[in-house]
Amino acid sequence: MADYIIPPRAVPKDDKGYFEKITQAVFQAGFSWEVIRAKWPGFARAFSGFDIERVATFTEDDVERLLEDRDIVRNGRKIEATIGNARVCRDLIEEYGSIQAYLRSLDGLEYEARSRALCKKFKFMGPMGAYFFFYSVGEEVPPWEEWRAANTPGRGR
């Protein structure tokens, strides 16, 4: 991943770990990995250790509280997306049994189809966020330079 710090790659142990990686993908958009990594302990605290059930019940009061939290990136749209994404995760767990089982339901699809499915499912998830998520949770992704050339305006399209 030239020009970028490569984030760690590991299959999460549980749904909370997948939700954490989804949240990282959302907040990393527009920021360097180093900025998000430096603030990550604040994110873990602010989003209740990425407890899906707890975050899914956050209210407008919680959004206001988080907008004042200097230990995280205070972007209201991303905060609201994270709360909505916790609700999506909760629904996926109810339907598939786990987030990993949902990802297995995408097996057999080409990478671009899996990416589009993820972007459609989760708020504030774009192609780069999907690539980061799939890469960081150990899913199959195309080689970085190849993907970047095809997905960066003026670099291959």
Side-chain angles (χ1 to χ4, degrees):
M1 290 183 150
D3 301 324
Y4 294 92
I5 300 278
I6 299 173
R9 190 167 205 202
V11 177
K13 294 183 285 193
D14 54 22
D15 291 321
K16 198 170 15 175
Y18 281 99
F19 176 51
E20 180 176 3
K21 290 298 184 182
I22 291 164
T23 303
Q24 282 180 340
V26 165
F27 276 94
Q28 185 176 334
F31 289 90
S32 75
W33 171 243
E34 292 125 329
V35 169
I36 299 305
R37 184 175 54 201
K39 288 186 169 277
W40 206 247
F43 281 98
R45 180 195 44 74
F47 290 106
S48 301
F50 303 102
D51 181 308
I52 294 168
E53 287 299 324
R54 287 190 65 192
V55 177
T57 65
F58 278 15
T59 65
E60 190 59 37
D61 288 341
D62 292 298
V63 173
E64 292 302 318
R65 171 182 56 81
L66 293 171
L67 285 170
E68 299 299 321
D69 190 334
R70 294 180 183 273
D71 292 335
I72 67 170
V73 172
R74 296 174 288 170
N75 179 306
R77 291 177 50 213
K78 291 182 179 190
I79 290 167
E80 289 171 353
T82 298
I83 296 166
N85 289 342
R87 294 171 185 151
V88 170
C89 287
R90 183 183 58 195
D91 294 346
L92 289 174
I93 293 164
E94 185 175 315
E95 182 176 351
Y96 293 92
S98 70
I99 297 169
Q100 186 178 45
Y102 164 70
L103 293 175
R104 295 292 61 82
S105 78
L106 302 176
D107 285 352
L109 297 177
E110 295 290 326
Y111 173 78
E112 289 302 323
R114 289 186 298 126
S115 177
R116 281 191 304 276
L118 198 73
C119 292
K120 188 174 180 181
K121 184 77 63 186
F122 293 101
K123 296 176 183 173
F124 226 96
M125 178 74 69
M128 182 65 215
Y131 188 94
F132 166 85
F133 171 76
F134 284 132
Y135 176 86
S136 68
V137 301
E139 294 287 315
E140 189 175 319
V141 294
W144 169 247
E145 288 300 328
E146 177 185 307
W147 181 88
R148 187 171 177 219
N151 287 278
T152 302
R155 288 198 75 201
R157 286 189 171 176

